[in-house]
Amino acid sequence: MGSKAYLIFGTASVLLVFASLGGGCGSNVSFTAASSSTGQGGDGGFIFLQGGGGTTDPGVGGSGGLPGIDDPGCKDKPPPIEDFQCDAYNQNNGDCMPGEGCYIYVQYPSQPCGQEVYGSFCAPAGTGQQGDPCGGGFDCGAGNVCVVTGSGTQCVQLCPLFGDDGCPAGLVCEPIDVEGFGGCL
Amino acid sequence: MSLTWSGRASFVALLLLATVVDCGGRTELEVPPPLPPKPECELDADCPGADDLCAPVRCIDPENFDGELPELPPGAVLPPRVCLVVDPVDCDDNDPCTNDSCVAETGLCSYSDATLDLDGDGFRAPRDGFLPGAPDSCGDDCNDASALAFPGNPEICDGVDNDCNGIVDDGSIFEPLNPNPLRLSSDMLAPAGANGLAFDGDTYLSLFAGGNGETNMFLSRITQQGQLSSPNEEPFTFQNADAFGGEILWIGDRYGVLWQERRDGDYEVYFTLLNKAAEKAIPDTRLTNAPGFSINGTLAWTGNEFIGAWQDERNGSFDVYAQRISVDGVPIGANVRLTDAPFDDEAPSLAVGVTTVALAYGNSNAGQNVRLRLFNLSDLSPITGVIEVTLGVDAVYPDVIWNGDRYLVTWFVRTGSEKAVFGATFDEAGNALTPPTAISNPGPFRSRYPTVLPLGDRSLFIYSDDRDGNDGYELYSRMVDQQLAPIGPEQRLTNAPRDSIDPIATFGADGNVGILFRDDRDNAMHVWFDQLACVTMPQ
């Protein structure tokens, strides 16, 4: 069934609010009101870092008679909006004031087929380092990000998705659900 | 003739009896006799449920009715005409192998098979909670996802327990099949990650996520010979927001897929069915609607229905929730909360035994530890309390499989002196059979990301390890017996720069094992596929 190596970044303390963006083009979804909860949450305060998953299945045979359907999805969706105000991979380049760090964030679409927003901004730096528990992005030091990993919500060091990742020995760079960023896990 | 009085409202009024009040010296009032009750109906059509021929409601005169009337409280009087259920249809044929029901429109009984033969091999899967062939099991197929597994079939090297003796490919070993693995994801989809792999009897179907920006999921088919086929990098999700993770299962005539996606402003869990052509057969079905993230989904098949589980943030911290799903992809009941503990419960994995469902998950109380809990197969009610599989070690990302007569829980230890892949086994009552046992031996280095295939009397572990100093992790395999003792050495499967991680394995044709994994050898994160060959050993 594979490992679960997803990471989520903490943006609970991010105060940026974006208006509802994008238009609906209709997704092919059936919904079951299986939850007793009311409504759905916001951004949850975190970002994913993506990795494994999957399953094993010793299946053989069968004829497969189910008819197919068309999934309209969001085929004409607009591209994500990007608003990077500083370089999170280069924390000491002068983009932010002393004592601040450059933090990445994501704003999930508030409606089907809306636009995601990716960006970064300067904020007072936290102290959390690789592997430290965290509850939001600002708990982590500059160059780190608070992610839900499936093995604790923790600060992880940002890493590039291509080439040498620069992660500490034994750690692996996993994609975060913010465009262009990875975290060491 | 049996009866049930359907009239209740008017009957209550009959219970109001006149009373005499003594007010000290005053003359007693003369209380008139109670008025006769009004008729409840004039015609059958006046009675609610009159058109249900399974429990026909009739308007009858109790005075001229020769059947049994309902028992009344003292002082109550039946109206002159009442609505009564007359002769409800009893369709119970006392046969546990049929589902008995009555058709309301016709009043006729309907009987359907209580078990399924999804793989079409002529042998039915047993009822939930029964071993194949057991009394009242109504089925003796040990694997209804495979037409090559049924009682009396000769055993061959094909990854299937052909003869249903509880052992897959009796006595075989597994060796690398191809000199080089196959890359599935194109440059456009980097970074990409492996999500799921299943084999439908003819080809493998892989599910992976990719894209530098919005992450979507894609399907690629791989032939038994390890070649790409159609669909190739076919979009599975078409949304505006990230979708990834989850699992894909082949159950004999269709695939079940569970994943997470934030199309609706938050990560929620979705499910769909694919036909053998890998086309969606039903709309994406959203399983969760709750505050916070619903993520890290896992999927199991009981033989009659799917069970999905995931970590869910609706209560503040993460708990594990589950959803039963019919073979046709319809949710059964509501989300079921499986864990309720302080601190986060994360990274769930499900396996189905004979009468129970096992949930392995990580818990962040006092560091990262692995827990196990068993649930009733039919309704997910708890069978055991929380079983602490590990305590005091940094144990993460558990996985659980059912292997013959026991559950095997696996995980890896992230820090400490022995950063290895571990396993432990439990029976269906939750009793420990084998304590936590190191499967790999990385020395001062590390082993991670175990995936395991059950062989009945053995288990095949596939995992990553960075012991060789080859610029990252490589894939390894090792066979162990039911007591988790090694059978043979650890076997290195990949040899390339950078990381080879997150293996997902499934049995394929001729007993070969397909492996989907992430590999960074091309200087970017891509999804690759490789196979192990089944080699029959002399008995």
Side-chain angles (χ1 to χ4, degrees), chain A:
Chain A
M1 311 222 171
S3 59
K4 309 292 192 300
Y6 301 101
L7 302 184
I8 309 173
F9 162 66
T11 57
S13 53
V14 174
L15 301 178
L16 300 179
V17 177
F18 288 79
S20 178
L21 300 164
C25 47
S27 59
N28 190 6
V29 178
S30 68
F31 170 69
T32 173
S35 166
S36 59
S37 303
T38 55
Q40 53 191 334
D43 63 12
F46 299 99
I47 295 176
F48 261 128
L49 188 150
Q50 308 156 9
T55 187
T56 61
D57 172 41
V60 182
S63 55
L66 294 176
I69 62 162
D70 179 49
D71 182 353
C74 300
K75 290 172 180 169
D76 299 321
K77 64 192 176 199
I81 296 172
E82 297 188 358
D83 182 22
F84 290 96
Q85 299 174 14
C86 53
D87 184 357
Y89 280 132
N90 192 354
Q91 292 284 333
N92 299 313
N93 67 350
D95 285 351
C96 299
M97 302 288 287
E100 290 185 332
C102 178
Y103 292 94
I104 58 175
Y105 70 90
V106 60
Q107 181 80 18
Y108 306 149
S110 59
Q111 61 187 24
C113 300
Q115 284 172 290
E116 288 185 307
V117 180
Y118 299 117
S120 64
F121 62 97
C122 297
T127 59
Q129 299 299 311
Q130 177 74 46
D132 290 343
C134 56
F138 303 146
D139 291 347
C140 301
N144 289 264
V145 62
C146 185
V147 292
V148 172
T149 67
S151 59
T153 301
Q154 58 185 270
C155 300
V156 299
Q157 175 187 318
L158 288 172
C159 55
L161 296 171
F162 298 90
D164 292 328
D165 57 30
C167 289
L171 301 187
V172 170
C173 188
E174 300 276 7
I176 297 175
D177 58 352
V178 177
E179 180 179 358
F181 290 90
C184 300
L185 182 65

Side-chain angles (χ1 to χ4, degrees), chain B residues 460-480:
Chain B
L460 177 64
F461 278 73
I462 299 168
Y463 50 93
S464 299
D465 190 290
D466 71 343
R467 74 184 66 179
D468 53 27
N470 192 27
D471 187 16
Y473 287 90
E474 302 294 343
L475 295 186
Y476 281 71
S477 71
R478 177 171 242 181
M479 188 83 81
V480 300

Side-chain angles (χ1 to χ4, degrees), chain B residues 292-333:
Chain B
F293 288 140
S294 303
I295 55 173
N296 280 341
T298 181
L299 186 64
W301 170 248
T302 70
N304 289 298
E305 63 187 46
F306 295 96
I307 302 174
W310 61 92
Q311 66 181 78
D312 196 304
E313 206 177 17
R314 69 184 67 177
N315 300 309
S317 61
F318 281 114
D319 297 306
V320 177
Y321 278 73
Q323 177 67 54
R324 298 168 58 206
I325 307 160
S326 77
V327 67
D328 296 319
V330 179
I332 302 170

Side-chain angles (χ1 to χ4, degrees), chain A residues 5-6 50-54 174-175, chain B residues 184-185 189-196 206-211 215-218 243-245 501-502 504 516-520 524-528:
Chain A
Y6 301 101
Q50 308 156 9
E174 300 276 7
Chain B
L184 302 186
S185 54
L189 294 188
N195 288 151
S206 66
L207 180 71
F208 58 93
T215 301
N216 270 295
M217 302 174 72
F218 300 85
F244 51 91
I501 59 171
D502 295 335
I504 301 164
L516 193 72
F517 59 102
R518 192 192 105 184
D519 195 297
D520 305 348
M525 301 172 189
H526 282 292
V527 175
W528 295 67

Side-chain angles (χ1 to χ4, degrees), chain B residues 431-486:
Chain B
N431 300 308
L433 302 177
T434 308
T437 303
I439 304 300
S440 65
N441 182 18
F445 295 94
R446 308 153 195 88
S447 301
R448 287 182 157 205
Y449 317 123
T451 184
V452 194
L453 289 179
L455 291 153
D457 62 340
R458 298 152 292 147
S459 299
L460 177 64
F461 278 73
I462 299 168
Y463 50 93
S464 299
D465 190 290
D466 71 343
R467 74 184 66 179
D468 53 27
N470 192 27
D471 187 16
Y473 287 90
E474 302 294 343
L475 295 186
Y476 281 71
S477 71
R478 177 171 242 181
M479 188 83 81
V480 300
D481 66 16
Q482 282 288 60
Q483 287 70 47
L484 304 183

